[in-house]
Amino acid sequence: MWFAKQTSRAAKSPLLALLAAISIGGSHGICFRGLLVTDTVSNFWKILLLIFVAGVILMWLATTAASMHEGDGPEFFTLLLGATLGMCLMVSTSNLLMLVIAMEMASLPSYVLAGFRKTHRLGAEASLKYVLFGAACSSIMAYGVSLLYGLFGTLQLENIVAAIGRPGGIGGTLGTGGSALLAVAIAGLIIGIGFKIAAVPFHFWCPDVFEGAGIDVSAFLSVASKGAALLLLLRVVSILAAGIDYHSVPGFSLTALSLVIGVLGAITAIAGNTGAFVQTNIKRLLAYSSIAHAGYMLCAISMLVRGPRVRSDFDLGATAAQAVLLYLAVYVFMNLGAFTAAALIYRQTGSEEIADYAGLGRRSPWLAVCMAIFMLSLVGVPPFAGFNAKLNIMLALGTAGGWWWALVAVIGINTVLSLYYYLRVVKVMFFTQSDTAAFFPNPIGLTVAGGCAIMLLMLFFAYGPLGSLITSHSNLFLTAHTPPGDVPVTSLAPPAR
């Protein structure tokens, strides 16, 4: 009775917020004197995130609620919804102060959620590692933001970019040393966002936190944290690219920034896939899998400058946004389903080891079929929507041409390599014998897993409507906060005598 009442109350918040996000529709504009931005990209992400959070709550009810103490429910939901609010704000700002506040609002509840199992040693260790990594990366990001404010005298990213694009470039605007300080500032900003994405080399926390945290928390972090950070990075680099018209200016190389993000995405994908090869714990395997998928989406975000074969009317920002949003829309169902299936198996067997999935095809056929669908979709093979999502990113990179073909090759090779560890789970479930008794999973959890599996099949065959929906929601609002001439800029050059 108590669990049903707590879940009912918790489910109302994301559902009410979902209705509010849907009612906003495709509005574009600036709110609260430039602190927040509303556009179709941020609105689509909020709808997707709130649907996902509702699924996580159902997953919690089916797998974790029975093991919680009576007083833990309000704390858990407060932290979960607080982190969700921060992740909604992350994709809706181009103000540096609001960016830092939103990231901390998302991060602080996540640290507590990772260690929510108070008597669990691995949970406490995971929370401590998460806090230490987060504190270090947040301080570096805050330092980068402070440098940007000190250089340009404004917190609005659009105004900073307008100053960068002025005649004479960075040297003429900021004087000697301005280019180096700007590079350090942008590097600090990317490091802070890269931590939330779990991009290499800021990914070491991810497998340990996923293993130590409750499986519902791991599911939440695998999608919500990475999705919000990826779209925040997309907004930042799109503003940079659009503000200087997709060309480099003296003292600031957009091509170099694009190359850095592309290489970072490629290395992240490779590290995630190679790390997953040796995993025997399903949560650690899915953690490395999430790192690899974040790498694929980073490759799409690297499309900042026009390739040699790209038409002049080719909208790189909209193309990158469409590719990332489509991938996230599919990724939500892949990961929610995979973690829900893993949680149902853990509830029955008390083990997260892949070896204990032996004979699952006989013990719980429907659950095993759902898990197989999630694994195959994560690989990216038809007839599942993971194929559409991955192919869409590869086609977008191929259309950009030039060195992006190297990223297409990286994604293709990593997809082939990932077959090994994903199909290993399927092999254990259907081709390894076990005398363990059959079981029927929790009906709510099985419904969530089955619904996600059906969605992956439907989104493959109904790719056209999904693609059209996302294309219509891939327009970032990039209008400057103030006219370029009104941008206050602090010059580093010595005063004229």
Side-chain angles (χ1 to χ4, degrees), residues 45 79 82-84 86-88 90-91 99-114 130-131 133-138 141 188-206 209-210 217-218 220-233 264 268 287 290-291 293-295 297-298 328 331:
W45 165 249
L79 293 168
T84 301
M87 291 166 190
C88 288
M90 280 173 63
V91 301
L99 186 152
V100 173
I101 292 173
M103 286 195 65
E104 292 306 304
M105 189 180 294
S107 297
L108 294 177
S110 299
Y111 301 152
V112 183
L113 284 171
Y130 200 8
V131 169
F133 269 93
C137 292
S138 294
M141 182 183 68
L189 189 60
I190 291 177
I191 286 171
I193 301 173
F195 160 74
K196 298 299 291 182
I197 298 173
V200 173
F202 319 111
H203 68 294
F204 294 106
W205 62 271
C206 188
V209 169
F210 278 36
V217 175
S218 300
F220 174 72
L221 295 177
S222 70
V223 174
S225 177
K226 290 178 172 58
L230 282 162
L231 290 177
L232 172 60
L233 181 62
L264 196 66
T268 300
S290 71
I291 293 171
H293 287 277
M297 287 182 273
L298 274 173
L328 285 173
Y331 190 63

Coordinates of all heavy atoms in Angstrom, one line a residue, residues 45 79 82-84 86-88 90-91 99-114 130-131 133-138 141 188-206 209-210 217-218 220-233 264 268 287 290-291 293-295 297-298 328 331:
W45 N 14.0 16.9 -26.0 CA 14.8 16.2 -25.0 C 14.0 16.1 -23.7 O 14.0 15.1 -23.0 CB 16.1 16.9 -24.8 CG 16.8 16.4 -23.5 CD1 17.0 17.1 -22.4 CD2 17.3 15.1 -23.2 NE1 17.6 16.4 -21.4 CE2 17.8 15.1 -21.9 CE3 17.4 13.9 -24.0 CZ2 18.4 14.0 -21.3 CZ3 18.0 12.8 -23.4 CH2 18.5 12.9 -22.1
L79 N 15.6 13.1 -4.9 CA 16.9 13.1 -5.6 C 16.7 12.9 -7.1 O 17.3 13.5 -7.9 CB 17.8 12.1 -5.0 CG 18.3 12.4 -3.5 CD1 18.9 11.2 -2.9 CD2 19.2 13.6 -3.5
G82 N 15.0 15.9 -8.7 CA 15.9 17.0 -8.6 C 17.0 16.9 -9.7 O 17.3 17.9 -10.4
A83 N 17.6 15.7 -9.9 CA 18.6 15.5 -11.0 C 17.9 15.7 -12.3 O 18.5 16.2 -13.3 CB 19.2 14.1 -10.9
T84 N 16.7 15.2 -12.5 CA 16.0 15.4 -13.7 C 15.8 16.8 -14.1 O 15.9 17.3 -15.2 CB 14.6 14.7 -13.7 OG1 14.8 13.3 -13.4 CG2 13.8 14.8 -15.0
G86 N 17.7 19.3 -13.2 CA 19.0 19.9 -13.6 C 19.3 19.5 -15.0 O 19.8 20.3 -15.8
M87 N 18.9 18.2 -15.4 CA 19.2 17.8 -16.8 C 18.3 18.4 -17.8 O 18.7 18.5 -19.0 CB 19.1 16.3 -16.8 CG 20.2 15.6 -16.1 SD 19.9 13.8 -15.8 CE 21.3 13.4 -14.6
C88 N 17.1 18.8 -17.4 CA 16.3 19.6 -18.3 C 16.8 21.0 -18.5 O 16.8 21.5 -19.6 CB 14.9 19.7 -17.7 SG 13.9 18.2 -17.8
M90 N 20.0 21.9 -18.3 CA 21.3 21.8 -19.0 C 21.1 22.1 -20.5 O 22.0 22.7 -21.1 CB 22.0 20.5 -18.7 CG 22.7 20.3 -17.4 SD 23.3 18.6 -17.1 CE 24.4 18.4 -18.4
V91 N 20.1 21.6 -21.1 CA 19.9 21.7 -22.5 C 19.2 23.0 -22.9 O 19.0 23.2 -24.1 CB 19.2 20.5 -23.1 CG1 19.9 19.2 -22.8 CG2 17.8 20.4 -22.6
L99 N 24.7 27.6 -16.9 CA 25.2 26.3 -17.3 C 25.9 25.6 -16.1 O 25.6 24.4 -15.9 CB 26.3 26.5 -18.4 CG 26.9 25.3 -19.1 CD1 27.3 25.8 -20.6 CD2 28.1 24.9 -18.4
V100 N 26.7 26.3 -15.4 CA 27.3 25.7 -14.2 C 26.3 25.3 -13.1 O 26.3 24.2 -12.6 CB 28.3 26.7 -13.6 CG1 28.9 26.2 -12.2 CG2 29.4 27.0 -14.5
I101 N 25.3 26.2 -12.9 CA 24.2 25.9 -11.9 C 23.5 24.6 -12.3 O 23.2 23.7 -11.5 CB 23.3 27.1 -11.7 CG1 24.0 28.2 -11.1 CG2 22.1 26.7 -10.9 CD1 23.2 29.5 -11.0
A102 N 23.1 24.5 -13.6 CA 22.3 23.4 -14.1 C 23.1 22.1 -14.0 O 22.6 21.0 -13.6 CB 21.9 23.6 -15.5
M103 N 24.4 22.1 -14.3 CA 25.2 20.9 -14.2 C 25.4 20.5 -12.8 O 25.4 19.3 -12.5 CB 26.6 21.2 -14.9 CG 26.5 21.2 -16.4 SD 28.1 21.1 -17.2 CE 28.6 19.4 -16.7
E104 N 25.6 21.4 -11.8 CA 25.7 21.0 -10.4 C 24.3 20.5 -9.9 O 24.3 19.6 -9.1 CB 26.1 22.2 -9.6 CG 27.6 22.6 -9.9 CD 28.5 21.5 -9.8 OE1 28.6 20.9 -8.7 OE2 29.2 21.2 -10.8
M105 N 23.2 21.1 -10.4 CA 21.9 20.7 -10.0 C 21.7 19.2 -10.4 O 21.0 18.5 -9.8 CB 20.8 21.6 -10.5 CG 19.4 21.3 -10.0 SD 18.2 22.4 -10.7 CE 18.7 24.0 -10.1
A106 N 22.2 18.9 -11.6 CA 22.1 17.5 -12.1 C 23.1 16.6 -11.3 O 22.8 15.4 -11.1 CB 22.3 17.4 -13.6
S107 N 24.3 17.1 -11.0 CA 25.3 16.2 -10.5 C 25.2 15.9 -9.0 O 25.3 14.7 -8.6 CB 26.7 16.9 -10.7 OG 27.0 17.1 -12.0
L108 N 24.8 16.9 -8.2 CA 24.8 16.6 -6.7 C 23.8 15.6 -6.3 O 24.2 14.7 -5.5 CB 24.5 18.0 -6.0 CG 25.6 19.0 -6.1 CD1 25.2 20.3 -5.4 CD2 27.0 18.5 -5.5
P109 N 22.6 15.6 -6.8 CA 21.7 14.5 -6.5 C 22.2 13.1 -7.1 O 21.9 12.1 -6.4 CB 20.3 14.9 -7.2 CG 20.4 16.3 -7.4 CD 21.8 16.6 -7.6
S110 N 22.9 13.2 -8.2 CA 23.4 11.9 -8.8 C 24.4 11.3 -7.9 O 24.5 10.1 -7.8 CB 24.0 12.2 -10.2 OG 23.0 12.7 -11.0
Y111 N 25.3 12.1 -7.2 CA 26.3 11.6 -6.3 C 25.6 10.8 -5.2 O 26.0 9.7 -4.8 CB 27.1 12.7 -5.7 CG 27.9 13.5 -6.7 CD1 28.2 14.9 -6.5 CD2 28.3 13.0 -8.0 CE1 28.9 15.7 -7.4 CE2 29.0 13.8 -8.9 CZ 29.3 15.1 -8.6 OH 29.9 15.9 -9.5
V112 N 24.5 11.4 -4.7 CA 23.8 10.7 -3.5 C 23.1 9.5 -4.0 O 23.1 8.5 -3.3 CB 22.8 11.7 -2.9 CG1 22.2 11.1 -1.7 CG2 23.5 13.0 -2.5
L113 N 22.5 9.6 -5.2 CA 21.8 8.4 -5.7 C 22.8 7.2 -5.9 O 22.4 6.0 -5.7 CB 21.1 8.7 -7.1 CG 19.9 9.6 -7.0 CD1 19.4 10.0 -8.4 CD2 18.7 8.8 -6.3
A114 N 24.0 7.5 -6.4 CA 25.0 6.4 -6.6 C 25.3 5.7 -5.3 O 25.5 4.5 -5.3 CB 26.3 7.0 -7.2
Y130 N 32.6 8.9 -7.7 CA 31.8 9.8 -8.5 C 32.0 11.2 -8.0 O 32.2 12.2 -8.8 CB 30.3 9.4 -8.4 CG 29.4 9.9 -9.5 CD1 29.9 10.5 -10.6 CD2 28.0 9.7 -9.4 CE1 29.1 11.0 -11.6 CE2 27.2 10.1 -10.4 CZ 27.7 10.8 -11.5 OH 26.9 11.2 -12.5
V131 N 32.0 11.4 -6.7 CA 32.1 12.8 -6.1 C 33.5 13.3 -6.4 O 33.6 14.5 -6.8 CB 31.9 12.7 -4.6 CG1 32.3 14.0 -3.9 CG2 30.4 12.5 -4.3
F133 N 35.7 12.5 -8.8 CA 35.8 12.8 -10.3 C 35.0 14.1 -10.6 O 35.4 15.0 -11.3 CB 35.4 11.7 -11.1 CG 36.4 10.7 -11.5 CD1 36.7 9.6 -10.7 CD2 37.2 10.9 -12.6 CE1 37.7 8.7 -11.0 CE2 38.2 10.0 -12.9 CZ 38.5 8.9 -12.1
G134 N 33.8 14.1 -10.1 CA 32.9 15.2 -10.4 C 33.4 16.6 -9.8 O 33.4 17.6 -10.5
A135 N 34.0 16.5 -8.6 CA 34.5 17.8 -8.0 C 35.7 18.3 -8.8 O 35.8 19.5 -9.1 CB 34.9 17.5 -6.6
A136 N 36.6 17.4 -9.3 CA 37.7 17.8 -10.0 C 37.3 18.4 -11.4 O 37.8 19.5 -11.8 CB 38.7 16.6 -10.3
C137 N 36.4 17.7 -12.1 CA 36.0 18.2 -13.4 C 35.2 19.5 -13.3 O 35.3 20.4 -14.1 CB 35.2 17.1 -14.1 SG 36.2 15.7 -14.6
S138 N 34.3 19.6 -12.2 CA 33.5 20.8 -12.0 C 34.4 22.0 -11.7 O 34.2 23.1 -12.2 CB 32.5 20.6 -10.9 OG 31.6 19.6 -11.2
M141 N 36.0 23.1 -15.0 CA 35.0 23.8 -15.8 C 34.7 25.2 -15.2 O 34.6 26.2 -16.0 CB 33.7 23.0 -15.8 CG 32.6 23.6 -16.7 SD 31.0 22.7 -16.7 CE 30.5 23.0 -15.0
G188 N 38.6 23.9 -20.6 CA 38.0 23.6 -19.3 C 36.5 23.4 -19.4 O 35.9 22.5 -18.7
L189 N 35.8 24.1 -20.3 CA 34.4 23.9 -20.4 C 34.1 22.5 -21.0 O 33.2 21.8 -20.5 CB 33.8 25.0 -21.4 CG 32.3 25.1 -21.6 CD1 31.6 25.4 -20.2 CD2 32.0 26.2 -22.6
I190 N 34.9 22.1 -22.0 CA 34.7 20.8 -22.6 C 35.0 19.7 -21.6 O 34.3 18.6 -21.6 CB 35.5 20.6 -23.9 CG1 35.0 21.6 -24.9 CG2 35.6 19.2 -24.4 CD1 35.8 21.6 -26.2
I191 N 36.0 19.9 -20.7 CA 36.3 18.8 -19.7 C 35.1 18.6 -18.8 O 34.8 17.5 -18.4 CB 37.6 19.3 -18.9 CG1 38.8 19.1 -19.8 CG2 37.7 18.5 -17.6 CD1 40.1 19.6 -19.2
G192 N 34.5 19.7 -18.3 CA 33.3 19.6 -17.4 C 32.2 18.9 -18.1 O 31.6 18.0 -17.5
I193 N 31.9 19.2 -19.3 CA 30.8 18.5 -20.0 C 31.2 17.1 -20.4 O 30.4 16.1 -20.3 CB 30.5 19.3 -21.3 CG1 30.0 20.7 -21.0 CG2 29.4 18.5 -22.1 CD1 29.8 21.6 -22.2
G194 N 32.5 16.9 -20.7 CA 33.0 15.5 -21.0 C 32.9 14.6 -19.9 O 32.7 13.4 -20.1
F195 N 33.0 15.1 -18.6 CA 32.8 14.2 -17.5 C 31.4 13.6 -17.4 O 31.2 12.5 -17.2 CB 33.1 15.0 -16.2 CG 32.5 14.4 -14.9 CD1 33.1 13.3 -14.4 CD2 31.4 15.0 -14.3 CE1 32.5 12.7 -13.2 CE2 30.9 14.5 -13.2 CZ 31.4 13.3 -12.6
K196 N 30.4 14.5 -17.7 CA 29.0 14.0 -17.7 C 28.7 13.0 -18.8 O 27.9 12.1 -18.7 CB 28.1 15.2 -17.8 CG 28.1 16.2 -16.6 CD 27.8 15.6 -15.3 CE 26.3 15.2 -15.2 NZ 26.0 14.6 -13.9
I197 N 29.4 13.2 -19.9 CA 29.2 12.3 -21.1 C 30.0 11.0 -20.8 O 29.6 10.0 -21.4 CB 29.8 13.0 -22.3 CG1 29.0 14.2 -22.7 CG2 29.7 12.0 -23.5 CD1 29.5 15.0 -23.8
A198 N 31.0 11.0 -19.9 CA 31.9 9.9 -19.7 C 32.7 9.6 -20.9 O 33.0 8.5 -21.3 CB 31.1 8.6 -19.3
A199 N 33.2 10.7 -21.5 CA 34.1 10.7 -22.6 C 35.5 10.4 -22.1 O 35.9 10.9 -21.0 CB 34.1 12.0 -23.4
V200 N 36.3 9.7 -22.9 CA 37.7 9.4 -22.5 C 38.5 10.7 -22.5 O 38.3 11.6 -23.5 CB 38.3 8.4 -23.6 CG1 39.8 8.3 -23.3 CG2 37.6 7.1 -23.5
P201 N 39.3 11.0 -21.6 CA 39.7 10.2 -20.4 C 39.0 10.5 -19.1 O 39.6 10.3 -18.1 CB 41.2 10.6 -20.3 CG 41.2 12.1 -20.7 CD 40.1 12.3 -21.7
F202 N 37.8 11.0 -19.2 CA 37.0 11.3 -18.0 C 35.9 10.2 -17.7 O 34.9 10.5 -17.1 CB 36.3 12.7 -18.2 CG 37.2 13.7 -18.9 CD1 36.9 14.1 -20.2 CD2 38.3 14.2 -18.2 CE1 37.7 15.0 -20.8 CE2 39.1 15.1 -18.9 CZ 38.8 15.5 -20.1
H203 N 36.2 9.0 -18.2 CA 35.2 7.9 -18.1 C 35.5 6.9 -17.0 O 34.6 6.0 -16.8 CB 35.2 7.2 -19.4 CG 36.5 6.4 -19.6 ND1 37.7 7.0 -19.8 CD2 36.7 5.0 -19.7 CE1 38.7 6.0 -20.0 NE2 38.1 4.8 -19.9
F204 N 36.5 7.1 -16.2 CA 36.9 6.0 -15.3 C 35.9 5.8 -14.2 O 35.8 4.7 -13.6 CB 38.3 6.3 -14.7 CG 39.4 6.3 -15.7 CD1 40.0 7.4 -16.1 CD2 39.9 5.1 -16.2 CE1 41.0 7.4 -17.0 CE2 40.9 5.0 -17.1 CZ 41.5 6.2 -17.5
W205 N 35.1 6.8 -13.9 CA 34.1 6.7 -12.8 C 32.9 5.8 -13.3 O 32.3 5.2 -12.4 CB 33.6 8.1 -12.5 CG 32.9 8.8 -13.6 CD1 33.5 9.6 -14.5 CD2 31.5 8.7 -13.9 NE1 32.5 10.0 -15.4 CE2 31.3 9.5 -15.1 CE3 30.4 8.0 -13.4 CZ2 30.1 9.6 -15.7 CZ3 29.2 8.2 -14.0 CH2 29.0 9.0 -15.2
C206 N 32.7 5.7 -14.6 CA 31.4 5.2 -15.1 C 31.2 3.7 -14.7 O 30.2 3.3 -14.1 CB 31.3 5.4 -16.6 SG 29.7 5.0 -17.3
V209 N 30.8 3.2 -10.9 CA 29.6 3.8 -10.3 C 28.4 2.9 -10.8 O 27.5 2.7 -10.0 CB 29.4 5.2 -10.8 CG1 28.0 5.8 -10.5 CG2 30.4 6.2 -10.1
F210 N 28.4 2.5 -12.0 CA 27.3 1.6 -12.5 C 27.2 0.3 -11.7 O 26.1 -0.2 -11.4 CB 27.4 1.3 -14.0 CG 26.9 2.4 -14.9 CD1 27.0 3.8 -14.5 CD2 26.3 2.1 -16.1 CE1 26.6 4.8 -15.3 CE2 25.8 3.1 -16.9 CZ 26.0 4.5 -16.5
V217 N 19.3 3.2 -10.6 CA 20.1 4.5 -10.7 C 21.1 4.4 -11.9 O 21.3 5.3 -12.6 CB 20.9 4.7 -9.4 CG1 21.9 5.9 -9.5 CG2 19.9 4.9 -8.2
S218 N 21.7 3.2 -12.0 CA 22.6 3.0 -13.2 C 21.8 3.2 -14.5 O 22.4 3.8 -15.4 CB 23.1 1.6 -13.2 OG 23.9 1.3 -12.0
F220 N 19.2 5.1 -15.0 CA 19.0 6.6 -15.1 C 20.2 7.3 -15.5 O 20.1 8.1 -16.5 CB 18.5 7.1 -13.7 CG 18.3 8.6 -13.6 CD1 17.3 9.2 -14.3 CD2 19.2 9.4 -12.9 CE1 17.1 10.6 -14.2 CE2 19.1 10.7 -12.9 CZ 18.0 11.3 -13.5
L221 N 21.3 7.0 -14.9 CA 22.6 7.8 -15.3 C 23.0 7.4 -16.7 O 23.6 8.3 -17.4 CB 23.7 7.4 -14.3 CG 23.5 7.9 -12.9 CD1 24.6 7.5 -12.0 CD2 23.3 9.4 -12.8
S222 N 22.8 6.2 -17.2 CA 23.3 5.8 -18.5 C 22.7 6.6 -19.6 O 23.3 6.7 -20.7 CB 23.0 4.3 -18.7 OG 21.6 4.0 -18.9
V223 N 21.5 7.0 -19.4 CA 20.8 7.8 -20.5 C 20.7 9.3 -20.2 O 21.1 10.1 -20.9 CB 19.4 7.2 -20.7 CG1 18.6 8.1 -21.7 CG2 19.4 5.8 -21.2
A224 N 20.1 9.6 -19.0 CA 19.8 11.0 -18.7 C 21.0 11.8 -18.6 O 21.1 12.9 -19.2 CB 19.0 11.0 -17.3
S225 N 22.1 11.4 -17.9 CA 23.3 12.2 -17.7 C 24.0 12.4 -19.0 O 24.3 13.6 -19.4 CB 24.2 11.5 -16.7 OG 25.4 12.2 -16.6
K226 N 24.1 11.3 -19.8 CA 24.9 11.4 -21.0 C 24.1 12.2 -22.1 O 24.6 13.1 -22.8 CB 25.2 10.1 -21.6 CG 26.2 9.3 -20.8 CD 26.5 7.9 -21.3 CE 27.7 7.3 -20.6 NZ 27.5 7.2 -19.1
G227 N 22.8 12.0 -22.1 CA 21.9 12.7 -23.1 C 21.9 14.2 -22.9 O 22.1 15.0 -23.8
A228 N 21.8 14.6 -21.6 CA 21.8 16.1 -21.3 C 23.1 16.7 -21.6 O 23.2 17.8 -22.2 CB 21.4 16.3 -19.8
A229 N 24.2 16.0 -21.3 CA 25.5 16.6 -21.5 C 25.8 16.7 -23.0 O 26.4 17.6 -23.5 CB 26.6 15.8 -20.8
L230 N 25.4 15.7 -23.8 CA 25.7 15.7 -25.2 C 24.9 16.8 -25.9 O 25.5 17.5 -26.8 CB 25.2 14.3 -25.8 CG 26.2 13.2 -25.6 CD1 25.5 11.8 -25.9 CD2 27.4 13.3 -26.6
L231 N 23.7 17.0 -25.5 CA 22.9 18.1 -26.1 C 23.4 19.5 -25.7 O 23.3 20.5 -26.4 CB 21.4 18.0 -25.8 CG 20.8 16.8 -26.5 CD1 19.3 16.6 -26.1 CD2 20.8 16.9 -28.0
L232 N 23.9 19.6 -24.4 CA 24.6 20.8 -24.0 C 25.8 21.1 -24.8 O 26.0 22.2 -25.3 CB 24.9 20.7 -22.5 CG 25.8 21.9 -21.9 CD1 25.0 23.2 -22.1 CD2 26.1 21.6 -20.5
L233 N 26.6 20.1 -25.1 CA 27.8 20.3 -25.9 C 27.4 20.6 -27.3 O 28.0 21.5 -28.0 CB 28.6 19.0 -25.9 CG 29.9 19.0 -26.7 CD1 30.9 20.1 -26.2 CD2 30.6 17.6 -26.8
L264 N 38.1 12.7 -30.0 CA 37.6 12.3 -28.6 C 36.5 11.3 -28.7 O 36.4 10.3 -28.0 CB 37.1 13.6 -27.9 CG 36.9 13.5 -26.4 CD1 38.3 13.3 -25.7 CD2 36.3 14.7 -25.9
T268 N 36.7 7.5 -27.5 CA 35.7 7.0 -26.5 C 35.0 5.8 -27.0 O 34.8 4.8 -26.2 CB 34.7 8.2 -26.3 OG1 35.4 9.3 -25.8 CG2 33.6 7.8 -25.3
A287 N 27.8 -0.4 -18.8 CA 28.5 0.9 -18.5 C 29.5 1.1 -19.7 O 29.5 2.2 -20.2 CB 29.2 0.8 -17.2
S290 N 27.6 2.0 -22.7 CA 27.1 3.4 -22.8 C 28.3 4.4 -23.1 O 28.0 5.4 -23.8 CB 26.5 3.8 -21.4 OG 27.5 3.9 -20.4
I291 N 29.5 4.1 -22.7 CA 30.6 4.9 -23.1 C 30.8 4.8 -24.6 O 31.1 5.9 -25.3 CB 31.9 4.4 -22.4 CG1 31.8 4.7 -20.8 CG2 33.2 5.1 -22.9 CD1 32.9 4.1 -20.0
H293 N 28.6 4.2 -26.9 CA 27.5 4.9 -27.6 C 27.7 6.4 -27.5 O 27.3 7.1 -28.4 CB 26.2 4.4 -27.1 CG 25.8 3.0 -27.6 ND1 25.3 2.7 -28.8 CD2 26.0 1.8 -27.0 CE1 25.1 1.4 -28.9 NE2 25.5 0.8 -27.9
A294 N 28.1 6.8 -26.4 CA 28.4 8.3 -26.2 C 29.5 8.7 -27.2 O 29.4 9.8 -27.8 CB 28.9 8.6 -24.8
G295 N 30.5 7.8 -27.5 CA 31.5 8.1 -28.5 C 30.9 8.3 -29.9 O 31.3 9.2 -30.6
M297 N 27.9 9.3 -30.6 CA 27.2 10.6 -30.7 C 28.2 11.8 -30.7 O 27.9 12.8 -31.3 CB 26.2 10.7 -29.5 CG 25.0 9.8 -29.7 SD 23.7 9.9 -28.4 CE 24.3 8.7 -27.3
L298 N 29.3 11.7 -30.0 CA 30.3 12.7 -30.1 C 30.8 12.9 -31.5 O 31.1 14.0 -31.9 CB 31.5 12.4 -29.1 CG 31.3 12.8 -27.7 CD1 32.5 12.3 -26.8 CD2 31.3 14.3 -27.6
L328 N 19.4 9.3 -29.4 CA 18.9 9.3 -28.0 C 17.5 8.7 -27.9 O 17.2 8.0 -26.9 CB 18.9 10.7 -27.5 CG 20.3 11.3 -27.1 CD1 20.2 12.8 -26.8 CD2 20.9 10.5 -26.0
Y331 N 18.1 5.1 -28.0 CA 18.9 4.7 -26.9 C 18.1 4.6 -25.6 O 18.4 3.7 -24.8 CB 20.1 5.6 -26.8 CG 21.1 5.2 -25.8 CD1 21.9 4.1 -26.1 CD2 21.4 6.0 -24.7 CE1 22.9 3.7 -25.2 CE2 22.4 5.6 -23.8 CZ 23.2 4.5 -24.1 OH 24.1 4.1 -23.2

